[in-house]
Amino acid sequence: GQNIDQPTEMTATEGAIVQINCTYQTSGFNGLFWYQQHAGEAPTFLSYNVLDGLEEKGRFSSFLSRSKGYSYLLLKELQMKDSASYLCAENAGKSTFGDGTTLTVKP
Amino acid sequence: KAGVTQTPRYLIKTRGQQVTLSCSPISGHRSVSWYQQTPGQGLQFLFEYFSETQRNKGNFPGRFSGRQFSNSRSEMNVSTLELGDSALYLCASSSAPDRTYEQYFGPGTRLTVT
Protein backbone atom coordinates (compact mmCIF):
# COMPACT_ATOMS: atom_id res chain seq x y z
CA GLY A 1 0.00 0.00 0.00
CA GLN A 2 1.02 3.56 -0.60
CA ASN A 3 2.89 5.34 2.19
CA ILE A 4 3.02 2.28 4.44
CA ASP A 5 6.10 0.07 4.59
CA GLN A 6 6.36 -3.25 6.35
CA PRO A 7 8.43 -6.37 5.67
CA THR A 8 6.92 -8.84 3.24
CA GLU A 9 7.71 -12.02 5.11
CA MET A 10 9.01 -13.13 8.49
CA THR A 11 9.64 -16.53 10.03
CA ALA A 12 9.84 -17.34 13.73
CA THR A 13 9.85 -20.34 16.03
CA GLU A 14 6.99 -21.45 18.24
CA GLY A 15 7.37 -19.98 21.73
CA ALA A 16 9.62 -17.15 20.55
CA ILE A 17 9.01 -13.40 20.30
CA VAL A 18 8.72 -11.57 16.98
CA GLN A 19 8.53 -7.86 16.18
CA ILE A 20 6.90 -6.66 12.96
CA ASN A 21 7.85 -3.11 12.02
CA CYS A 22 5.83 -0.57 10.11
CA THR A 23 6.70 2.92 8.88
CA TYR A 24 4.22 5.44 7.54
CA GLN A 25 4.00 9.01 6.34
CA THR A 26 2.96 11.31 9.12
CA SER A 27 0.88 13.93 7.29
CA GLY A 28 -2.78 13.92 8.32
CA PHE A 29 -2.15 11.12 10.77
CA ASN A 30 -5.00 10.15 13.09
CA GLY A 31 -3.92 6.75 14.33
CA LEU A 32 -2.21 3.52 13.45
CA PHE A 33 -3.80 0.13 13.66
CA TRP A 34 -2.93 -3.51 13.19
CA TYR A 35 -5.03 -6.30 11.76
CA GLN A 36 -4.47 -10.04 11.55
CA GLN A 37 -5.59 -11.93 8.48
CA HIS A 38 -5.45 -15.69 8.17
CA ALA A 39 -5.33 -17.13 4.68
CA GLY A 40 -8.76 -17.10 3.08
CA GLU A 41 -10.33 -15.12 5.90
CA ALA A 42 -11.23 -11.50 6.53
CA PRO A 43 -8.93 -9.23 8.59
CA THR A 44 -9.61 -9.02 12.31
CA PHE A 45 -8.77 -6.03 14.46
CA LEU A 46 -5.78 -6.39 16.79
CA SER A 47 -4.83 -2.98 18.11
CA TYR A 48 -5.00 0.76 17.66
CA ASN A 49 -2.47 3.42 18.70
CA VAL A 50 -3.15 7.11 18.56
CA LEU A 51 -0.68 8.25 21.23
CA ASP A 52 3.01 7.44 21.56
CA GLY A 53 3.92 4.43 23.60
CA LEU A 54 3.18 0.78 24.07
CA GLU A 55 -0.29 -0.77 24.21
CA GLU A 56 -0.41 -4.30 25.57
CA LYS A 57 -3.14 -6.85 24.97
CA GLY A 58 -2.22 -10.27 26.23
CA ARG A 59 0.44 -11.81 24.02
CA PHE A 60 0.21 -8.93 21.54
CA SER A 61 1.59 -5.42 22.04
CA SER A 62 1.76 -2.47 19.67
CA PHE A 63 4.06 0.52 19.86
CA LEU A 64 3.83 3.92 18.21
CA SER A 65 6.23 6.82 17.72
CA ARG A 66 4.41 9.62 15.93
CA SER A 67 7.51 11.78 15.51
CA LYS A 68 9.30 8.95 13.71
CA GLY A 69 6.30 7.66 11.77
CA TYR A 70 7.03 4.24 13.17
CA SER A 71 5.09 1.43 14.77
CA TYR A 72 5.68 -2.18 15.62
CA LEU A 73 3.59 -5.17 16.60
CA LEU A 74 5.17 -7.48 19.15
CA LEU A 75 3.96 -11.06 19.42
CA LYS A 76 5.12 -13.07 22.43
CA GLU A 77 5.00 -16.80 23.13
CA LEU A 78 4.32 -17.51 19.50
CA GLN A 79 1.84 -20.23 18.66
CA MET A 80 1.34 -22.06 15.39
CA LYS A 81 -2.04 -20.36 14.98
CA ASP A 82 -0.25 -16.98 14.84
CA SER A 83 0.86 -17.85 11.31
CA ALA A 84 -0.99 -15.20 9.34
CA SER A 85 -0.61 -11.92 7.51
CA TYR A 86 -0.31 -8.84 9.73
CA LEU A 87 -1.55 -5.62 8.23
CA CYS A 88 -0.42 -2.22 9.40
CA ALA A 89 -2.84 0.57 8.54
CA GLU A 90 -2.82 4.33 8.91
CA ASN A 91 -5.96 6.23 9.75
CA ALA A 92 -5.66 9.60 8.03
CA GLY A 93 -9.29 10.31 7.38
CA LYS A 94 -9.54 7.12 5.42
CA SER A 95 -7.76 3.87 6.06
CA THR A 96 -4.55 3.13 4.15
CA PHE A 97 -3.26 -0.40 4.55
CA GLY A 98 0.23 -1.75 4.11
CA ASP A 99 0.73 -4.80 1.94
CA GLY A 100 0.99 -6.97 5.03
CA THR A 101 3.69 -9.08 6.60
CA THR A 102 3.26 -12.83 6.22
CA LEU A 103 4.42 -14.47 9.42
CA THR A 104 5.23 -18.17 9.43
CA VAL A 105 5.60 -19.84 12.81
CA LYS A 106 7.60 -23.05 12.72
CA PRO A 107 7.70 -25.79 15.38
CA LYS B 1 -24.79 -10.10 17.71
CA ALA B 2 -24.52 -11.13 14.08
CA GLY B 3 -21.39 -10.08 12.23
CA VAL B 4 -21.00 -8.30 8.93
CA THR B 5 -22.55 -10.26 6.11
CA GLN B 6 -21.76 -9.99 2.44
CA THR B 7 -23.56 -11.46 -0.53
CA PRO B 8 -22.83 -13.18 -2.73
CA ARG B 9 -19.72 -14.92 -1.45
CA TYR B 10 -18.50 -15.91 -4.89
CA LEU B 11 -19.24 -14.46 -8.29
CA ILE B 12 -18.02 -15.09 -11.81
CA LYS B 13 -18.63 -12.46 -14.47
CA THR B 14 -17.34 -11.75 -17.94
CA ARG B 15 -15.62 -8.62 -19.17
CA GLY B 16 -17.97 -5.76 -19.93
CA GLN B 17 -20.67 -6.89 -17.52
CA GLN B 18 -21.62 -5.06 -14.37
CA VAL B 19 -21.93 -6.41 -10.84
CA THR B 20 -23.57 -5.37 -7.58
CA LEU B 21 -22.28 -6.54 -4.22
CA SER B 22 -24.18 -6.23 -0.97
CA CYS B 23 -23.09 -5.67 2.61
CA SER B 24 -25.11 -5.72 5.82
CA PRO B 25 -23.24 -4.16 8.75
CA ILE B 26 -23.37 -5.21 12.36
CA SER B 27 -26.61 -4.11 13.96
CA GLY B 28 -26.21 -0.55 15.22
CA HIS B 29 -23.20 0.22 13.05
CA ARG B 30 -23.80 3.13 10.71
CA SER B 31 -20.44 3.42 8.97
CA VAL B 32 -19.58 1.06 6.12
CA SER B 33 -16.32 0.95 4.20
CA TRP B 34 -15.42 -1.06 1.12
CA TYR B 35 -12.01 -2.45 0.20
CA GLN B 36 -10.51 -4.33 -2.70
CA GLN B 37 -7.89 -6.93 -1.92
CA THR B 38 -5.60 -8.44 -4.55
CA PRO B 39 -2.30 -10.31 -4.18
CA GLY B 40 -0.44 -7.60 -6.07
CA GLN B 41 -1.98 -4.45 -4.56
CA GLY B 42 -2.92 -5.54 -1.08
CA LEU B 43 -5.93 -4.06 0.66
CA GLN B 44 -7.05 -0.84 -0.99
CA PHE B 45 -9.74 1.53 0.22
CA LEU B 46 -12.66 2.06 -2.13
CA PHE B 47 -15.11 4.27 -0.25
CA GLU B 48 -16.80 4.89 3.06
CA TYR B 49 -20.44 5.65 3.77
CA PHE B 50 -22.12 7.07 6.83
CA SER B 51 -25.79 7.98 7.12
CA GLU B 52 -26.31 7.35 3.40
CA THR B 53 -23.53 9.82 2.47
CA GLN B 54 -20.18 9.01 0.94
CA ARG B 55 -17.57 10.48 3.28
CA ASN B 56 -14.36 9.32 1.67
CA LYS B 57 -13.34 7.83 -1.64
CA GLY B 58 -10.21 5.99 -2.70
CA ASN B 59 -8.34 6.24 -5.97
CA PHE B 60 -10.52 4.06 -8.13
CA PRO B 61 -12.12 4.89 -11.49
CA GLY B 62 -15.71 6.03 -11.77
CA ARG B 63 -16.74 2.50 -12.77
CA PHE B 64 -16.72 1.77 -9.05
CA SER B 65 -19.64 3.25 -7.18
CA GLY B 66 -21.60 2.61 -4.05
CA ARG B 67 -24.50 3.66 -1.95
CA GLN B 68 -25.90 3.21 1.51
CA PHE B 69 -29.51 2.76 2.48
CA SER B 70 -31.40 4.14 5.47
CA ASN B 71 -30.99 0.82 7.30
CA SER B 72 -27.18 1.18 6.87
CA ARG B 73 -26.96 -1.69 4.39
CA SER B 74 -24.62 -0.84 1.55
CA GLU B 75 -24.09 -1.88 -2.03
CA MET B 76 -21.20 -1.37 -4.37
CA ASN B 77 -21.42 -1.56 -8.12
CA VAL B 78 -18.74 -2.11 -10.70
CA SER B 79 -19.69 -1.38 -14.29
CA THR B 80 -17.92 -2.47 -17.48
CA LEU B 81 -15.90 -5.12 -15.68
CA GLU B 82 -12.24 -5.61 -16.57
CA LEU B 83 -10.02 -8.63 -15.91
CA GLY B 84 -8.11 -6.58 -13.35
CA ASP B 85 -11.25 -6.20 -11.24
CA SER B 86 -10.89 -9.82 -10.15
CA ALA B 87 -10.36 -9.54 -6.42
CA LEU B 88 -11.75 -10.10 -2.98
CA TYR B 89 -14.10 -7.26 -2.08
CA LEU B 90 -14.35 -6.68 1.63
CA CYS B 91 -16.88 -4.65 3.51
CA ALA B 92 -16.22 -3.38 7.02
CA SER B 93 -18.52 -1.69 9.47
CA SER B 94 -17.93 0.49 12.49
CA SER B 95 -20.16 2.30 14.92
CA ALA B 96 -19.25 5.77 13.68
CA PRO B 97 -16.93 7.39 11.14
CA ASP B 98 -14.49 8.58 13.76
CA ARG B 99 -14.15 5.04 15.02
CA THR B 100 -13.04 3.56 11.74
CA TYR B 101 -10.16 1.94 13.54
CA GLU B 102 -12.55 -0.50 15.15
CA GLN B 103 -13.71 -1.97 11.92
CA TYR B 104 -15.30 -5.36 11.68
CA PHE B 105 -14.84 -7.05 8.34
CA GLY B 106 -17.22 -9.30 6.52
CA PRO B 107 -16.10 -12.53 4.86
CA GLY B 108 -15.83 -10.83 1.49
CA THR B 109 -17.09 -11.46 -2.01
CA ARG B 110 -14.65 -13.22 -4.32
CA LEU B 111 -15.19 -11.76 -7.80
CA THR B 112 -13.65 -13.46 -10.81
CA VAL B 113 -13.81 -11.70 -14.17
CA THR B 114 -13.18 -13.88 -17.23
Short mmCIF file of all heavy atoms in Angstrom, two decimals, chain A residues 1-2 33 35 37 40-45 47-48 87 91 93-99, chain B residues 35 37 40-43 45 48 55-59 88 90 100-103 105-107:
data_model
loop_
_atom_site.label_atom_id
_atom_site.label_comp_id
_atom_site.label_asym_id
_atom_site.label_seq_id
_atom_site.Cartn_x
_atom_site.Cartn_y
_atom_site.Cartn_z
N GLY A 1 0.80 -1.19 0.00
CA GLY A 1 0.00 0.00 0.00
C GLY A 1 0.84 1.25 0.00
O GLY A 1 1.97 1.27 0.47
N GLN A 2 0.26 2.32 -0.53
CA GLN A 2 1.02 3.56 -0.60
C GLN A 2 1.32 4.07 0.79
O GLN A 2 0.51 3.99 1.69
CB GLN A 2 0.17 4.61 -1.32
CG GLN A 2 0.19 4.50 -2.81
CD GLN A 2 -0.58 5.64 -3.44
OE1 GLN A 2 -1.73 5.85 -3.12
NE2 GLN A 2 0.06 6.36 -4.32
N PHE A 33 -3.27 1.36 13.12
CA PHE A 33 -3.80 0.13 13.66
C PHE A 33 -3.25 -1.11 12.97
O PHE A 33 -2.66 -1.02 11.90
CB PHE A 33 -5.33 0.13 13.66
CG PHE A 33 -5.97 0.57 12.38
CD1 PHE A 33 -6.40 -0.36 11.46
CD2 PHE A 33 -6.22 1.91 12.13
CE1 PHE A 33 -7.03 0.03 10.29
CE2 PHE A 33 -6.86 2.30 10.96
CZ PHE A 33 -7.27 1.35 10.04
N TYR A 35 -4.05 -5.26 11.99
CA TYR A 35 -5.03 -6.30 11.76
C TYR A 35 -4.31 -7.61 11.50
O TYR A 35 -3.19 -7.62 10.97
CB TYR A 35 -5.92 -5.99 10.54
CG TYR A 35 -6.99 -4.97 10.81
CD1 TYR A 35 -6.72 -3.61 10.75
CD2 TYR A 35 -8.28 -5.38 11.14
CE1 TYR A 35 -7.71 -2.68 11.00
CE2 TYR A 35 -9.28 -4.45 11.39
CZ TYR A 35 -8.98 -3.11 11.32
OH TYR A 35 -9.95 -2.19 11.57
N GLN A 37 -4.78 -11.28 9.50
CA GLN A 37 -5.59 -11.93 8.48
C GLN A 37 -5.04 -13.32 8.18
O GLN A 37 -3.93 -13.46 7.65
CB GLN A 37 -5.63 -11.10 7.20
CG GLN A 37 -6.57 -11.66 6.14
CD GLN A 37 -6.70 -10.77 4.92
OE1 GLN A 37 -5.81 -9.98 4.60
NE2 GLN A 37 -7.83 -10.87 4.21
N GLY A 40 -7.39 -16.81 3.45
CA GLY A 40 -8.76 -17.10 3.08
C GLY A 40 -9.81 -16.52 4.00
O GLY A 40 -11.01 -16.77 3.82
N GLU A 41 -9.37 -15.71 4.97
CA GLU A 41 -10.33 -15.12 5.90
C GLU A 41 -10.25 -13.60 5.86
O GLU A 41 -9.34 -13.02 5.29
CB GLU A 41 -10.06 -15.62 7.33
CG GLU A 41 -10.22 -17.12 7.48
CD GLU A 41 -9.97 -17.57 8.91
OE1 GLU A 41 -9.88 -16.70 9.81
OE2 GLU A 41 -9.85 -18.79 9.13
N ALA A 42 -11.22 -12.96 6.47
CA ALA A 42 -11.23 -11.50 6.53
C ALA A 42 -10.28 -11.01 7.63
O ALA A 42 -9.99 -11.74 8.58
CB ALA A 42 -12.64 -11.00 6.81
N PRO A 43 -9.78 -9.79 7.52
CA PRO A 43 -8.93 -9.23 8.59
C PRO A 43 -9.70 -9.08 9.89
O PRO A 43 -10.91 -8.80 9.88
CB PRO A 43 -8.54 -7.86 8.03
CG PRO A 43 -8.76 -7.93 6.57
CD PRO A 43 -9.91 -8.86 6.39
N THR A 44 -9.01 -9.27 11.00
CA THR A 44 -9.61 -9.02 12.31
C THR A 44 -8.76 -8.01 13.06
O THR A 44 -7.53 -8.04 13.00
CB THR A 44 -9.73 -10.31 13.14
OG1 THR A 44 -8.44 -10.92 13.24
CG2 THR A 44 -10.68 -11.28 12.51
N PHE A 45 -9.43 -7.12 13.76
CA PHE A 45 -8.77 -6.03 14.46
C PHE A 45 -7.91 -6.55 15.60
O PHE A 45 -8.32 -7.40 16.38
CB PHE A 45 -9.86 -5.09 15.01
CG PHE A 45 -9.35 -4.01 15.93
CD1 PHE A 45 -8.76 -2.88 15.40
CD2 PHE A 45 -9.47 -4.13 17.30
CE1 PHE A 45 -8.31 -1.87 16.25
CE2 PHE A 45 -9.02 -3.13 18.14
CZ PHE A 45 -8.44 -2.00 17.61
N SER A 47 -5.17 -4.08 17.21
CA SER A 47 -4.83 -2.98 18.11
C SER A 47 -4.92 -1.65 17.39
O SER A 47 -4.90 -1.59 16.16
CB SER A 47 -3.42 -3.16 18.67
OG SER A 47 -2.45 -2.99 17.64
N TYR A 48 -4.95 -0.59 18.19
CA TYR A 48 -5.00 0.76 17.66
C TYR A 48 -4.17 1.66 18.56
O TYR A 48 -4.31 1.62 19.78
CB TYR A 48 -6.43 1.26 17.61
CG TYR A 48 -6.59 2.69 17.14
CD1 TYR A 48 -6.30 3.03 15.84
CD2 TYR A 48 -7.06 3.68 18.00
CE1 TYR A 48 -6.46 4.33 15.38
CE2 TYR A 48 -7.23 4.98 17.55
CZ TYR A 48 -6.92 5.29 16.24
OH TYR A 48 -7.09 6.58 15.78
N LEU A 87 -1.38 -6.84 9.00
CA LEU A 87 -1.55 -5.62 8.23
C LEU A 87 -1.44 -4.39 9.12
O LEU A 87 -2.14 -4.29 10.13
CB LEU A 87 -2.92 -5.61 7.54
CG LEU A 87 -3.25 -6.80 6.67
CD1 LEU A 87 -4.73 -6.78 6.28
CD2 LEU A 87 -2.40 -6.80 5.42
N ASN A 91 -4.67 5.56 9.80
CA ASN A 91 -5.96 6.23 9.75
C ASN A 91 -5.72 7.72 9.57
O ASN A 91 -5.37 8.41 10.50
CB ASN A 91 -6.75 5.96 11.04
CG ASN A 91 -8.13 6.59 11.00
OD1 ASN A 91 -8.55 7.11 9.98
ND2 ASN A 91 -8.83 6.54 12.11
N GLY A 93 -8.02 9.99 8.01
CA GLY A 93 -9.29 10.31 7.38
C GLY A 93 -9.91 9.09 6.73
O GLY A 93 -11.07 8.78 6.92
N LYS A 94 -9.12 8.40 5.97
CA LYS A 94 -9.54 7.12 5.42
C LYS A 94 -8.41 6.13 5.66
O LYS A 94 -7.26 6.50 5.82
CB LYS A 94 -9.84 7.24 3.93
CG LYS A 94 -8.70 7.77 3.10
CD LYS A 94 -9.13 8.01 1.67
CE LYS A 94 -7.98 8.54 0.84
NZ LYS A 94 -8.37 8.86 -0.54
N SER A 95 -8.75 4.87 5.69
CA SER A 95 -7.76 3.87 6.06
C SER A 95 -6.85 3.53 4.90
O SER A 95 -7.32 3.25 3.81
CB SER A 95 -8.48 2.60 6.52
OG SER A 95 -9.35 2.89 7.58
N THR A 96 -5.53 3.55 5.14
CA THR A 96 -4.55 3.13 4.15
C THR A 96 -3.79 1.95 4.73
O THR A 96 -3.13 2.07 5.76
CB THR A 96 -3.57 4.27 3.83
OG1 THR A 96 -4.29 5.40 3.37
CG2 THR A 96 -2.59 3.83 2.76
N PHE A 97 -3.88 0.82 4.06
CA PHE A 97 -3.26 -0.40 4.55
C PHE A 97 -1.92 -0.65 3.89
O PHE A 97 -1.73 -0.36 2.71
CB PHE A 97 -4.17 -1.60 4.26
CG PHE A 97 -5.33 -1.74 5.21
CD1 PHE A 97 -6.44 -0.92 5.10
CD2 PHE A 97 -5.31 -2.69 6.22
CE1 PHE A 97 -7.51 -1.05 5.97
CE2 PHE A 97 -6.37 -2.82 7.10
CZ PHE A 97 -7.47 -2.00 6.98
N GLY A 98 -1.00 -1.22 4.67
CA GLY A 98 0.23 -1.75 4.11
C GLY A 98 -0.07 -3.05 3.38
O GLY A 98 -1.19 -3.57 3.46
N ASP A 99 0.93 -3.56 2.69
CA ASP A 99 0.73 -4.80 1.94
C ASP A 99 0.71 -6.03 2.82
O ASP A 99 0.40 -7.13 2.37
CB ASP A 99 1.83 -4.96 0.88
CG ASP A 99 1.67 -3.94 -0.24
OD1 ASP A 99 0.54 -3.44 -0.42
OD2 ASP A 99 2.67 -3.65 -0.92
N TYR B 35 -13.41 -2.28 0.57
CA TYR B 35 -12.01 -2.45 0.20
C TYR B 35 -11.90 -3.49 -0.91
O TYR B 35 -12.69 -4.42 -0.99
CB TYR B 35 -11.18 -2.93 1.39
CG TYR B 35 -11.12 -1.98 2.55
CD1 TYR B 35 -12.09 -2.01 3.55
CD2 TYR B 35 -10.09 -1.06 2.67
CE1 TYR B 35 -12.03 -1.14 4.62
CE2 TYR B 35 -10.03 -0.19 3.74
CZ TYR B 35 -11.00 -0.24 4.70
OH TYR B 35 -10.94 0.62 5.76
N GLN B 37 -9.13 -6.26 -2.29
CA GLN B 37 -7.89 -6.93 -1.92
C GLN B 37 -7.43 -7.85 -3.04
O GLN B 37 -8.17 -8.74 -3.47
CB GLN B 37 -8.05 -7.73 -0.62
CG GLN B 37 -6.73 -8.29 -0.10
CD GLN B 37 -6.84 -8.90 1.28
OE1 GLN B 37 -7.85 -9.51 1.62
NE2 GLN B 37 -5.81 -8.74 2.09
N GLY B 40 -1.44 -8.55 -5.63
CA GLY B 40 -0.44 -7.60 -6.07
C GLY B 40 -0.54 -6.23 -5.42
O GLY B 40 0.46 -5.57 -5.18
N GLN B 41 -1.76 -5.80 -5.08
CA GLN B 41 -1.98 -4.45 -4.56
C GLN B 41 -2.35 -4.41 -3.09
O GLN B 41 -2.46 -3.34 -2.50
CB GLN B 41 -3.10 -3.77 -5.37
CG GLN B 41 -2.77 -3.57 -6.84
CD GLN B 41 -1.64 -2.60 -7.05
OE1 GLN B 41 -1.53 -1.60 -6.35
NE2 GLN B 41 -0.75 -2.92 -7.98
N GLY B 42 -2.55 -5.55 -2.49
CA GLY B 42 -2.92 -5.54 -1.08
C GLY B 42 -4.34 -5.08 -0.88
O GLY B 42 -5.19 -5.18 -1.77
N LEU B 43 -4.59 -4.52 0.30
CA LEU B 43 -5.93 -4.06 0.66
C LEU B 43 -6.03 -2.57 0.34
O LEU B 43 -5.33 -1.76 0.90
CB LEU B 43 -6.13 -4.30 2.16
CG LEU B 43 -7.55 -4.28 2.72
CD1 LEU B 43 -8.36 -5.41 2.13
CD2 LEU B 43 -7.50 -4.41 4.23
N PHE B 45 -8.49 0.89 -0.17
CA PHE B 45 -9.74 1.53 0.22
C PHE B 45 -10.51 1.99 -1.00
O PHE B 45 -9.97 2.65 -1.88
CB PHE B 45 -9.40 2.72 1.12
CG PHE B 45 -10.56 3.58 1.50
CD1 PHE B 45 -11.46 3.20 2.48
CD2 PHE B 45 -10.75 4.80 0.86
CE1 PHE B 45 -12.52 4.01 2.82
CE2 PHE B 45 -11.80 5.63 1.21
CZ PHE B 45 -12.70 5.22 2.20
N GLU B 48 -16.19 5.00 1.75
CA GLU B 48 -16.80 4.89 3.06
C GLU B 48 -18.12 5.64 3.06
O GLU B 48 -18.22 6.75 2.52
CB GLU B 48 -15.90 5.47 4.15
CG GLU B 48 -16.51 5.39 5.55
CD GLU B 48 -15.90 6.38 6.51
OE1 GLU B 48 -14.93 7.06 6.15
OE2 GLU B 48 -16.42 6.51 7.63
N ARG B 55 -18.44 9.57 2.53
CA ARG B 55 -17.57 10.48 3.28
C ARG B 55 -16.15 10.52 2.71
O ARG B 55 -15.48 11.54 2.78
CB ARG B 55 -17.52 10.07 4.75
CG ARG B 55 -18.83 10.22 5.48
CD ARG B 55 -18.64 9.99 6.96
NE ARG B 55 -17.90 11.07 7.61
CZ ARG B 55 -16.68 10.95 8.09
NH1 ARG B 55 -16.03 9.81 8.00
NH2 ARG B 55 -16.09 11.97 8.69
N ASN B 56 -15.71 9.39 2.22
CA ASN B 56 -14.36 9.32 1.67
C ASN B 56 -14.36 8.40 0.47
O ASN B 56 -15.18 7.47 0.39
CB ASN B 56 -13.37 8.77 2.71
CG ASN B 56 -12.97 9.79 3.74
OD1 ASN B 56 -12.41 10.83 3.42
ND2 ASN B 56 -13.28 9.51 4.99
N LYS B 57 -13.43 8.65 -0.44
CA LYS B 57 -13.34 7.83 -1.64
C LYS B 57 -11.88 7.56 -1.93
O LYS B 57 -11.04 8.46 -1.81
CB LYS B 57 -13.99 8.55 -2.83
CG LYS B 57 -14.18 7.68 -4.06
CD LYS B 57 -14.91 8.45 -5.14
CE LYS B 57 -15.34 7.53 -6.28
NZ LYS B 57 -14.20 6.84 -6.92
N GLY B 58 -11.57 6.35 -2.33
CA GLY B 58 -10.21 5.99 -2.70
C GLY B 58 -9.94 6.32 -4.15
O GLY B 58 -10.75 6.92 -4.85
N ASN B 59 -8.77 5.92 -4.61
CA ASN B 59 -8.34 6.24 -5.97
C ASN B 59 -8.74 5.16 -6.96
O ASN B 59 -7.89 4.46 -7.51
CB ASN B 59 -6.82 6.46 -6.00
CG ASN B 59 -6.41 7.62 -5.13
OD1 ASN B 59 -7.10 8.63 -5.06
ND2 ASN B 59 -5.29 7.47 -4.44
N LEU B 88 -10.87 -9.90 -4.13
CA LEU B 88 -11.75 -10.10 -2.98
C LEU B 88 -12.23 -8.72 -2.55
O LEU B 88 -11.41 -7.83 -2.29
CB LEU B 88 -10.98 -10.78 -1.84
CG LEU B 88 -11.77 -11.03 -0.55
CD1 LEU B 88 -12.87 -12.07 -0.78
CD2 LEU B 88 -10.83 -11.50 0.57
N LEU B 90 -14.03 -6.61 0.21
CA LEU B 90 -14.35 -6.68 1.63
C LEU B 90 -15.14 -5.46 2.07
O LEU B 90 -14.84 -4.33 1.66
CB LEU B 90 -13.06 -6.77 2.46
CG LEU B 90 -12.26 -8.06 2.34
CD1 LEU B 90 -10.85 -7.84 2.82
CD2 LEU B 90 -12.93 -9.16 3.13
N THR B 100 -13.33 4.49 12.82
CA THR B 100 -13.04 3.56 11.74
C THR B 100 -11.94 2.58 12.10
O THR B 100 -11.75 1.59 11.44
CB THR B 100 -12.62 4.30 10.46
OG1 THR B 100 -11.53 5.17 10.74
CG2 THR B 100 -13.78 5.09 9.89
N TYR B 101 -11.19 2.89 13.17
CA TYR B 101 -10.16 1.94 13.54
C TYR B 101 -10.74 0.66 14.08
O TYR B 101 -10.18 -0.39 13.98
CB TYR B 101 -9.21 2.55 14.55
CG TYR B 101 -9.88 3.11 15.79
CD1 TYR B 101 -10.09 2.33 16.91
CD2 TYR B 101 -10.29 4.43 15.83
CE1 TYR B 101 -10.69 2.85 18.04
CE2 TYR B 101 -10.88 4.96 16.96
CZ TYR B 101 -11.07 4.17 18.06
OH TYR B 101 -11.67 4.68 19.16
N GLU B 102 -11.90 0.71 14.66
CA GLU B 102 -12.55 -0.50 15.15
C GLU B 102 -13.51 -1.00 14.09
O GLU B 102 -14.71 -0.91 14.21
CB GLU B 102 -13.31 -0.23 16.45
CG GLU B 102 -12.38 0.01 17.62
CD GLU B 102 -13.13 0.17 18.93
OE1 GLU B 102 -14.36 -0.06 18.94
OE2 GLU B 102 -12.51 0.55 19.93
N GLN B 103 -12.91 -1.46 13.02
CA GLN B 103 -13.71 -1.97 11.92
C GLN B 103 -13.86 -3.48 12.04
O GLN B 103 -12.92 -4.17 12.41
CB GLN B 103 -13.05 -1.64 10.58
CG GLN B 103 -13.02 -0.17 10.25
CD GLN B 103 -12.42 0.07 8.90
OE1 GLN B 103 -13.12 0.22 7.91
NE2 GLN B 103 -11.12 0.11 8.84
N PHE B 105 -14.75 -6.68 9.74
CA PHE B 105 -14.84 -7.05 8.34
C PHE B 105 -15.80 -8.21 8.11
O PHE B 105 -15.92 -9.11 8.94
CB PHE B 105 -13.46 -7.46 7.82
CG PHE B 105 -12.54 -6.30 7.53
CD1 PHE B 105 -11.81 -5.71 8.55
CD2 PHE B 105 -12.43 -5.79 6.25
CE1 PHE B 105 -10.97 -4.64 8.30
CE2 PHE B 105 -11.59 -4.73 5.98
CZ PHE B 105 -10.86 -4.16 7.01
N GLY B 106 -16.43 -8.17 6.97
CA GLY B 106 -17.22 -9.30 6.52
C GLY B 106 -16.33 -10.32 5.85
O GLY B 106 -15.14 -10.09 5.67
N PRO B 107 -16.89 -11.46 5.46
CA PRO B 107 -16.10 -12.53 4.86
C PRO B 107 -15.63 -12.22 3.45
O PRO B 107 -14.73 -12.89 2.94
CB PRO B 107 -17.04 -13.73 4.88
CG PRO B 107 -18.41 -13.11 4.83
CD PRO B 107 -18.30 -11.84 5.61
#
